[in-house]
Amino acid sequence: MIRFENVSFSYGKEPVLRDVSFHVKPGETVVVLGISGSGKSTILKLIAGLVQPDSGRVLINGHEMTTASEDEWSRVRPKIGFVFQGGALFDSMTVGENIGFTLIEHTDKTMDEIEVTVRETLRFLNLSEDLIDILPDSLSGGMQRRVSIGRAVAAVDPMIMLYDEPTTGLDPISTEAITELILKLQSVKGVSSIVVTHQITDAFEVTNHFIVLHDGVMVFDGPGEKLVQVQDERVQSFLAPFMQSVKNIPAVCPEE
Amino acid sequence: MNLLSIIKRFAYDLQGLTFYSFRLFGKILSRPMYLMETFEQMYFLGVGSLFLVVLTGVFAGQGMALQFSIELADFGSKNYLGRVMVIAITRELGPVLCGLMVAARVAAGITAEIGSMKSSEQIEALRAFGIDPIRKLAVPRFWALMVMLPVLTIVTDFVAIYGGYIIAVYIANISGAVYWTNVTAKLTLGNFIIGLSKPFIFAAIIAIISTYMGFSTVGGTRGVGRSTTESVVACSISILFINFLFTRLLVPQIQGLL
């Protein structure tokens, strides 16, 4: 589904990713872990075509997207749902307009048809339909993230979902709601997902395939059981603060 | 910041602005066109600025008429106030004043809006959902300004000349009929074309600079504030500079053609 082959990327002279390679299978969820500034979000931007790698290849469904034209990207992008850190909801539009945004922009559906889809999506998100005419500023952080997920899934059934720090800064109840939503999308719609986070306890709730980045270098790619046992100093230093809560991980890991 | 780094930054900004202008012009006539957004912007930028340009036009016209009526009286030719007013206003004061007022109000708004969207990742979100931000945000504002700024300039011209009429009749004791006869005598096609060519150029300047500054905003809330201030300053200076070049280089050519 998604394949990175020796991808390197830099912002100006500052290297962000160095020779990163990994593979995400169809329907699989992968969590990318790492401290801030390790290049996690850049992986998502490369998949969505928001930035282009300096070297290496990014393949989606076997098609190389590194050299794709804007037309090819415009066909692929509607199939990719991107949940930005902080939501990135359009603050001048209502919740309904945000969720229906891609339907309004990319389809010929009438406003009545779009409203039906928006209401279905709100129910899917476990949000009240009364929120449809409310501006995003009036919502809590957790609700904004859920609406952001709704905006990503409402248009067409996405084949890839990209989550950039979806639970950062949220209270435990909102975090649980977002985690449930990620799992629900995975099981109901069968999408391939990449979740970027530095909150390892939440990460074990959604998958058992982990990638760890350190200074733009991929230092681990494998299952959760191996992650907690790996001897690499860079992985251990990242895991150390979380080890106390990670003790019970094998019990919560989804079965492979 | 030393002089060399200031020059470097200016050259870098100018280069970015030039490339951005080409990208914008490449998209102004191609599909998809966001007509609803364009009409919304026409209302916001045009109708929203009406009160501002009416007020400034009236007061500027009155101030100018007061000064000119005193000077012309010294030469015994205060009856020519209407002629002086119409030339000064239609050719220079109307377009420049209107351009500056709209730049102050609109450029700040456009840059702040796009800059806020940039810093809250809304621009990236647009791209991620397959929407070209320049087409969606910059092109409607470009067309809205291209349509509304000439209209606002005509309004400014009219109210400024009318403001001069009030001064002529009630303070300078000039007959209203004499004032309007002189106004219509100099309200020629040439003056009209010269005066109405400028707002199209000013509209393009405001649209390009304000959207470019918005898209190139970095540094969060402080960055938005900085971009907004720089946008208004850059638009105002550019309007005055381009106005000078236009008057110096193109006005004689236009007059030669007419």
Side-chain angles (χ1 to χ4, degrees), chain A residues 33-134:
Chain A
L33 296 165
I35 56 168
S36 298
S38 57
K40 306 185 300 291
S41 299
T42 305
I43 285 181
L44 302 187
K45 288 180 181 175
L46 283 161
I47 295 167
L50 300 179
V51 291
Q52 293 298 324
D54 300 334
S55 62
R57 303 198 307 161
V58 177
L59 293 99
I60 296 174
N61 268 349
H63 299 290
E64 187 179 347
M65 300 310 291
T66 322
T67 52
S69 65
E70 201 51 41
D71 277 351
E72 287 172 273
W73 271 114
S74 62
R75 280 195 295 276
V76 172
R77 278 199 186 112
K79 289 280 179 188
I80 300 174
F82 201 134
V83 179
F84 284 84
Q85 190 177 0
L89 294 173
F90 303 123
D91 50 15
S92 56
M93 297 181 189
T94 63
V95 166
E97 287 166 339
N98 265 285
I99 293 175
F101 180 74
T102 33
L103 289 173
I104 296 166
E105 293 292 336
H106 292 303
T107 68
D108 296 326
K109 288 188 174 180
T110 63
M111 290 313 283
D112 288 342
E113 290 170 326
I114 290 170
E115 192 181 328
V116 171
T117 312
V118 168
R119 288 184 185 279
E120 276 172 14
T121 309
L122 281 169
R123 286 196 294 273
F124 181 81
L125 300 168
N126 282 331
L127 289 171
S128 164
E129 288 180 42
D130 296 339
L131 297 178
I132 198 163
D133 293 321
I134 286 176

Side-chain angles (χ1 to χ4, degrees), chain A residues 45 49-50 77 80 82 84-85 88-91 101-102 105-106 151-152, chain B residues 34 37 113 116-117 120-131 136:
Chain A
K45 288 180 181 175
L50 300 179
R77 278 199 186 112
I80 300 174
F82 201 134
F84 284 84
Q85 190 177 0
L89 294 173
F90 303 123
D91 50 15
F101 180 74
T102 33
E105 293 292 336
H106 292 303
R151 182 178 62 178
Chain B
Y34 293 96
E37 277 86 348
E113 188 180 355
S116 301
M117 288 182 76
S120 59
E121 290 189 305
Q122 292 178 54
I123 300 291
E124 293 244 291
L126 279 176
R127 291 184 63 214
F129 290 115
I131 306 295
K136 174 88 175 163

Side-chain angles (χ1 to χ4, degrees), chain A residues 13-30:
Chain A
K13 290 176 183 169
E14 190 68 34
V16 178
L17 290 177
R18 283 178 259 197
D19 209 24
V20 172
S21 300
F22 65 87
H23 178 219
V24 182
K25 296 177 201 149
E28 186 187 22
T29 297
V30 172

Side-chain angles (χ1 to χ4, degrees), chain B residues 24-36:
Chain B
L24 177 63
F25 280 118
K27 290 170 183 179
I28 54 174
L29 287 174
S30 59
R31 286 170 177 274
M33 302 281 273
Y34 293 96
L35 289 178
M36 276 310 292

Side-chain angles (χ1 to χ4, degrees), chain B residues 22-206:
Chain B
F22 284 123
R23 286 173 66 199
L24 177 63
F25 280 118
K27 290 170 183 179
I28 54 174
L29 287 174
S30 59
R31 286 170 177 274
M33 302 281 273
Y34 293 96
L35 289 178
M36 276 310 292
E37 277 86 348
T38 308
F39 289 130
E40 275 174 21
Q41 290 301 322
M42 281 168 70
Y43 180 80
F44 173 71
L45 307 179
V47 180
S49 304
L50 195 60
F51 184 63
L52 181 71
V53 299
V54 165
L55 271 187
T56 50
V58 165
F59 291 134
Q62 286 182 332
M64 206 167 72
L66 264 177
Q67 295 285 355
F68 279 136
S69 63
I70 295 165
E71 291 300 318
L72 289 170
D74 286 349
F75 298 100
S77 48
K78 69 175 181 182
N79 282 347
Y80 290 110
L81 179 65
R83 286 173 181 248
V84 178
M85 287 292 289
V86 83
I87 291 171
I89 287 168
T90 56
R91 284 189 179 194
E92 289 294 323
L93 189 72
V96 172
L97 190 66
C98 182
L100 289 174
M101 294 315 292
V102 171
R105 179 182 179 270
V106 169
I110 292 174
T111 305
E113 188 180 355
I114 297 177
S116 301
M117 288 182 76
K118 172 95 183 294
S119 59
S120 59
E121 290 189 305
Q122 292 178 54
I123 300 291
E124 293 244 291
L126 279 176
R127 291 184 63 214
F129 290 115
I131 306 295
D132 182 343
I134 293 179
R135 225 182 271 281
K136 174 88 175 163
L137 300 172
V139 173
R141 284 160 178 78
F142 175 87
W143 281 121
L145 278 164
M146 288 299 266
V147 172
M148 297 312 289
L149 194 58
V151 174
L152 289 171
T153 302
I154 292 171
V155 173
T156 308
D157 288 352
F158 176 76
V159 295
I161 292 169
Y162 193 79
Y165 164 79
I166 294 168
I167 297 298
V169 172
Y170 296 103
I171 294 179
N173 296 318
I174 299 168
S175 151
V178 170
Y179 181 84
W180 286 120
T181 306
N182 279 284
V183 165
T184 48
K186 277 291 170 186
L187 200 60
T188 59
L189 182 66
N191 286 338
F192 189 74
I193 289 174
I194 291 164
L196 220 54
S197 307
K198 290 180 179 180
F200 290 104
I201 301 167
F202 298 162
I205 289 171
I206 297 169

